[in-house]
Each structure stands twice: as C-alpha cells, then as structure tokens.
Amino acid sequence: SRYQEESAMSLKEQMNQIYGNAPLEKIPWNIQDPPSFLVRVVESGKVTPCRTVDIGCGVGNYAVWLASKGFQVTGIDVSEKAIEIARDQAQQKGVDCEFLVGDLVSPDFEPEGVFQFAYDWEVLHHVFPEERGIYIDNIRKMLEPGGIYFSVCFSEQDSDFGGEGKYRQTPMNTTLYFSSEEEIRNQLATGFYIKELHTIEIAGKYGPHMAVMVLAV
C-alpha cells in the first residue's frame, strides 16, 4: 500500500530527520509537562514507583518526570537523535534514567530487562495495523506477569489532519493511523486484560485531540 511505501522511509529516518532539524518547540508532540492523564494514573496510585519503560520516549520529557517521582525508568525510541537529546536532558536535570535506541515493530526486538509498567503516549498512532501484532507482542515480552500497560493514541473521532480517514498526513509529513476503541480492544484481546478503555480529550500543543486511552494488565 501507499502507506507501506511511505514507511519505507522508515519511521526511524523520519524521526531522526525531525529531531535533527526541527527546533524542539516546533515538534507538535514534544510537550515538556507530563499529560494530565499520565499524572492521574500516577497520583491516583493506579501505578506506583516501579521499573518502568517509556516506549517512544522522544526526548525523554515524561521519563524524566517519572524518574523524579521515584520510578526507575528506561526510555526507548526508534530515533538515535531523540535518545541523544533525552540523555542530555536527564543529565542536565540530574535525574537517573536509562535511554536506549530500539524498534518495537521489529520481530528481532530484544527487550533489555523486564518491567512492571509500560506506557506509550501518542505513539501507537504511528504504528500501522499490520505492525501492531508484533508491537503488542514486544510490549508483552517486556512486562512481567501482572505488569500494567497504559496507552493513548489518536481516535478516529478526532477531526484533525483532514478529517475522517483512518490514515492521515500531518504537517510534519508523518502518516498517522486513527483507531477505534474496538480496534484497540481487539489488538489487546490476547495476552491482556483490559481494565479501562475510553475515548478522551487530550491537550495538544496546538489544540485538543480525541484519543483512545487504555489501561491493561
């Protein structure tokens, strides 16, 4: 498909280009403050400080925040450039995090360590349906039994980037896939028990988005 061709300029190359060339403040998903729903999961005690993996951590903003709350955080991103910036940021803030380059849509992905909490914030919409089986398997491999998975990705109910299609092009020239609750439920059906699944409104840099949020064990 056209989208497979686009992903031939792999997500890794796209992200290296973006993190290498765009000022951080111009990258739409690069928001310094942790999102309110992640804060809520932590402050409500649904997740307490533990070994945590931040999947698609970007420049490490949320990993650094969680580490400051006592979590032992490993951030993984497909972009070497993002990981470089994340390491610098953690060092500047005097926070102890580990950052690794890794591609969770690769069948050869080897997790380094086992975690009690895994989350991806606005990452799953970069993963197209045909890659999601591998992606979810890799997350499961990283979680110890009873570990928690928390994910937020754009909902098909969102009206951004030209409206209604499942695949949409963004101003950053990335292609995103907009999911339904049912798709997310089906994707997690083997291997996870879903505790919460809702469509929520999340803040974006340039305005709010509708997103599917899931909390599963």
Side-chain angles (χ1 to χ4, degrees):
S1 71
R2 182 161 71 85
Y3 298 103
Q4 281 164 322
E5 281 160 38
E6 270 183 20
S7 63
M9 175 177 179
S10 66
L11 194 56
K12 185 189 194 71
E13 291 165 314
Q14 280 182 332
M15 291 300 162
N16 276 331
Q17 216 170 54
I18 290 168
Y19 286 112
N21 301 322
L24 289 182
E25 64 279 5
K26 291 276 191 278
I27 298 175
W29 59 83
N30 183 53
I31 298 172
Q32 194 70 44
D33 293 329
S36 59
F37 282 92
L38 180 61
V39 173
R40 215 171 290 175
V41 163
V42 171
E43 292 186 347
S44 65
K46 282 177 185 168
V47 176
T48 51
C50 61
R51 288 190 314 282
T52 295
V53 60
D54 177 345
I55 298 155
C57 64
V59 298
N61 299 332
Y62 309 154
V64 165
W65 176 76
L66 280 169
S68 75
K69 297 279 172 203
F71 286 73
Q72 256 178 288
V73 191
T74 298
I76 298 177
D77 202 276
V78 75
S79 161
E80 295 93 346
K81 190 68 200 155
I83 290 296
E84 223 171 274
I85 300 168
R87 286 177 181 148
D88 285 349
Q89 180 170 224
Q91 208 173 358
Q92 280 163 17
K93 300 204 167 162
V95 164
D96 191 17
C97 292
E98 186 177 15
F99 289 106
L100 306 168
V101 177
D103 181 2
L104 267 89
V105 297
S106 163
D108 305 324
F109 175 77
E110 283 299 330
E112 300 203 21
V114 182
F115 301 92
Q116 292 150 312
F117 178 43
Y119 72 95
D120 50 31
W121 184 271
E122 292 189 27
V123 173
L124 196 54
H125 47 236
H126 290 280
V127 181
F128 298 157
E130 61 272 20
E131 302 167 321
R132 285 189 177 178
I134 294 171
Y135 180 82
I136 298 296
D137 276 352
N138 282 330
I139 289 171
R140 227 183 27 236
K141 274 193 243 170
M142 286 197 286
L143 277 172
E144 64 176 39
I148 295 170
Y149 174 46
F150 175 61
S151 175
V152 171
C153 66
F154 289 161
S155 160
E156 63 180 14
Q157 294 175 31
D158 194 57
S159 56
D160 268 326
F161 314 121
E164 313 238 307
K166 299 292 277 179
Y167 292 93
R168 303 182 206 170
Q169 196 82 25
T170 75
M172 297 298 281
N173 221 13
T174 54
T175 302
L176 306 182
Y177 182 84
F178 287 66
S179 300
S180 66
E181 284 186 19
E182 193 184 358
E183 281 174 293
I184 301 295
R185 187 182 301 283
N186 292 341
Q187 272 146 12
L188 295 182
T190 31
F192 281 100
Y193 166 71
I194 293 173
K195 293 179 89 166
E196 288 181 41
L197 179 66
H198 321 280
T199 300
I200 58 172
E201 187 178 271
I202 57 172
K205 198 173 268 194
Y206 306 117
H209 289 281
M210 296 306 289
V212 180
M213 180 204 99
V214 65
L215 193 67
V217 292

